């Protein structure tokens, strides 16, 4: 009986708990993988490499990394150059909660990223955080 009453009390408090309002914030910082990537793999990695190709050998090497038929390089499969077929949660959050005028949005997410990886191309979580921790000016209330 005592266990049942305790469980009922805990369940009651858990269901009545609500998050408070988000309030104002200065900056929105995102780390992650394809669920958060706004096109970083294409814009930061593929496009610059494709523009620098000057031989068939270089094109073959690029194609080995970014399969033209099944990767972000295929604009038919990935028209927005994003891994998703629509906006990501991070994009929606950034559109919903606008930072203050002094704030910024930074998205360090890359499709294919891992927590830790030896991959030479896709920045893993530690590399994303390292890019973020380079000296930058953040507001007093980053999100």
């Amino acid at each position: 009986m005592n266990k049942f009453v305790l469980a009922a009390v805990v369940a009651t408090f858990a269901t009545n708990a609500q998050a408070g309002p988000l309030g104002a914030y200065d900056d929105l910082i995102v780390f992650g993988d394809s669920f958060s990537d706004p096109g970083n793999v294409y814009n930061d990695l593929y496009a610059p490499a494709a523009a620098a190709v000057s031989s068939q050998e270089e094109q073959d090497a690029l194609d080995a990394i970014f399969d033209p038929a099944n990767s972000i390089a295929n604009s038919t499969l990935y028209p927005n150059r994003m891994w998703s077929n629509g906006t990501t949660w991070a994009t929606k959050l950034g559109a919903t909660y606008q930072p203050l005028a002094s704030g910024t949005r930074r998205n360090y997410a890359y499709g294919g990223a891992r927590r830790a990886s030896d991959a030479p191309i896709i920045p893993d979580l530690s590399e994303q955080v390292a890019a973020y921790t380079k000296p930058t000016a953040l507001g007093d209330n980053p999100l």
Side-chain angles (χ1 to χ4, degrees):
M1 175 74 171
N2 288 342
K3 290 180 184 179
F4 175 75
V5 172
L6 178 60
V9 169
V10 169
T12 300
F13 283 119
T15 57
N16 289 334
Q18 294 181 6
L22 182 61
Y25 67 93
D26 295 303
D27 306 288
L28 175 62
I29 310 301
V30 178
F31 305 102
D33 59 9
S34 59
F35 290 111
S36 307
D37 183 350
N40 289 341
V41 168
Y42 183 82
N43 295 324
D44 297 349
L45 304 176
Y46 178 78
V53 167
S54 61
S55 70
Q56 186 59 46
E57 183 178 331
E58 290 177 356
Q59 184 63 52
D60 292 344
L62 184 63
D63 290 348
I65 297 168
F66 296 100
D67 175 5
N70 298 308
S71 78
I72 202 77
N74 185 328
S75 63
T76 302
L77 293 176
Y78 304 101
N80 297 324
R81 303 301 189 181
M82 298 166 56
W83 296 101
S84 66
N85 60 355
T87 54
T88 65
W89 71 270
T91 303
K92 288 181 181 181
L93 180 66
T96 302
Y97 298 103
Q98 297 292 325
L100 300 173
S102 62
T104 59
R105 292 186 201 125
R106 296 192 186 108
N107 189 323
Y108 296 94
Y110 284 85
R114 308 275 179 158
R115 181 188 58 79
S117 171
D118 292 334
I121 304 291
I122 305 294
D124 63 21
L125 179 60
S126 64
E127 292 167 319
Q128 293 174 28
V129 172
Y132 164 71
T133 57
K134 288 181 181 174
T136 57
L138 292 178
D140 294 332
N141 299 307
L143 175 64

